[in-house]
Amino acid sequence: MARMKFLCDSERCIECNGCVTACKNEHEVPWGVNRRRVVTLDDGVPGERSISVACMHCTDAPCAAVCPVDCFYTTDDGIVLHDKDLCIGCGYCFYACPFGAPQYPQKEAFGVRGKMDKCTFCAGGPEGKDNSEEERHKYGRNRIAEGKLPLCAEMCSTKALLAGDGDMVADIYRERVLKRSGRPQTWGWDTAYQEKS
Amino acid sequence: MKTSTVKLTVCVAATLVALAGCYGPVFPTVYEPGEYKGASDPLLKTHATAESKQALQQRFTTSQTDR
């Protein structure tokens, strides 16, 4: 069974923000909401690294565990999606997420945040038909229904960001590490995909 | 009929009418915690097919493998 995963190869990421732009453009994400962002570690210091971060679609998603209205569901290949009609914008998922993935479109008095928004692995949400106008408006484009993978990874010019079946992603990364030597740094994988008993 | 009896009857009737709107369902819908309660996603069905998974693997091989 395929298990969809993201992997960012920090040795290859050149901090071009192409993935961020691709995501915003593809899903017409509003101002102030960044489903994906590039984080630079040790900025300005020799050996600095950049990684592209978004929802990692965790195996045991903490956002889903804390959601008081249970608006999260997971596809059979591990994509974590949510229903904006159920979301009450409480922000619990934001506090629970180790990657800071949940985003909120509003910031108003009395803590009004609006419906939570996050990376959908380009798989839309539970809105009528796939790629309907409503789904596109609420969740963005549903590329998975079209047989395509997330645009952020497909647009990555250095192929630093990989998205797809976890086994295939891991194989590519393993080959890279063997070729260039050094230690593998699957950033975020331990946190996101660790099997807990 | 005495005036007081009429008044009492009217009062009781008015109270009954006023309380008629206070009825609520006796058995609320109780969900198991952690159970998704929203609309069903059509992707879950279409994406579960072998063809769909094969198409995604093909796509991955074409667009993301190292060259």
Side-chain angles (χ1 to χ4, degrees):
Chain A
M1 166 91 53
R3 167 70 174 88
M4 294 298 178
K5 291 179 182 177
F6 276 123
L7 173 69
C8 185
D9 186 347
S10 60
E11 290 287 330
R12 284 191 172 215
C13 181
I14 55 170
E15 202 191 343
C16 68
N17 277 281
C19 49
V20 178
T21 311
C23 176
K24 283 192 85 83
N25 190 50
E26 183 75 342
H27 303 298
E28 294 175 26
V29 182
W31 279 104
V33 174
N34 281 312
R35 291 184 179 181
R36 176 167 288 285
R37 63 199 180 283
V38 176
V39 176
T40 303
L41 309 169
D42 298 328
D43 199 1
V45 179
E48 70 171 36
R49 294 269 189 281
S50 291
I51 36 173
S52 177
V53 187
C55 171
M56 292 289 277
H57 302 274
C58 301
T59 303
D60 184 12
C63 52
V66 299
C67 180
V69 292
D70 296 321
C71 75
F72 291 91
Y73 61 101
T74 308
T75 67
D76 66 345
D77 49 7
I79 303 173
V80 179
L81 300 171
H82 73 295
D83 187 340
K84 285 193 180 181
D85 290 336
L86 292 181
C87 176
I88 54 171
C90 66
Y92 284 14
C93 52
F94 177 74
Y95 296 115
C97 178
F99 304 102
Q103 305 279 303
Y104 300 90
Q106 298 165 22
K107 195 175 182 181
E108 292 173 13
F110 307 111
V112 174
R113 301 178 173 89
K115 307 285 185 185
M116 188 273 277
D117 193 274
K118 74 170 191 73
C119 161
T120 62
F121 210 85
C122 292
E127 192 65 42
K129 288 164 70 177
D130 285 335
N131 269 321
S132 62
E133 192 56 42
E134 294 79 23
E135 183 183 49
R136 199 179 167 82
H137 177 68
K138 274 189 192 169
Y139 305 97
R141 192 168 159 196
N142 191 337
R143 290 172 58 85
I144 295 289
E146 297 171 359
K148 298 172 183 172
L149 288 162
L151 190 65
C152 51
E154 294 203 341
M155 287 279 285
C156 183
S157 56
T158 59
K159 299 198 186 303
L161 185 61
L162 300 168
D165 179 7
D167 293 338
M168 295 173 83
V169 168
D171 284 345
I172 290 178
Y173 187 68
R174 198 177 303 120
E175 276 179 29
R176 284 182 188 176
V177 173
L178 284 173
K179 203 175 279 183
R180 69 182 177 222
S181 74
R183 291 167 56 199
Q185 290 178 322
T186 49
W187 191 90
W189 272 39
D190 284 348
T191 311
Y193 308 130
Q194 195 177 27
E195 295 286 348
K196 290 166 193 155
S197 54
Chain B
M1 194 182 280
K2 281 184 180 176
T3 320
S4 59
T5 317
V6 173
K7 278 182 182 172
L8 184 68
T9 313
V10 169
C11 275
V12 169
T15 310
L16 286 175
V17 169
L19 288 175
C22 297
Y23 175 78
V26 182
F27 302 106
T29 310
V30 180
Y31 294 99
E32 284 296 313
E35 181 193 328
Y36 173 65
K37 303 185 267 289
S40 65
D41 188 349
L43 182 76
L44 296 179
K45 269 187 189 167
T46 54
H47 189 41
T49 60
E51 294 84 44
S52 166
K53 291 185 192 309
Q54 201 174 357
L56 288 178
Q57 287 193 347
Q58 182 71 32
R59 181 85 180 182
F60 184 85
T61 315
T62 342
S63 64
Q64 293 188 54
T65 44
D66 289 335
R67 285 186 274 279

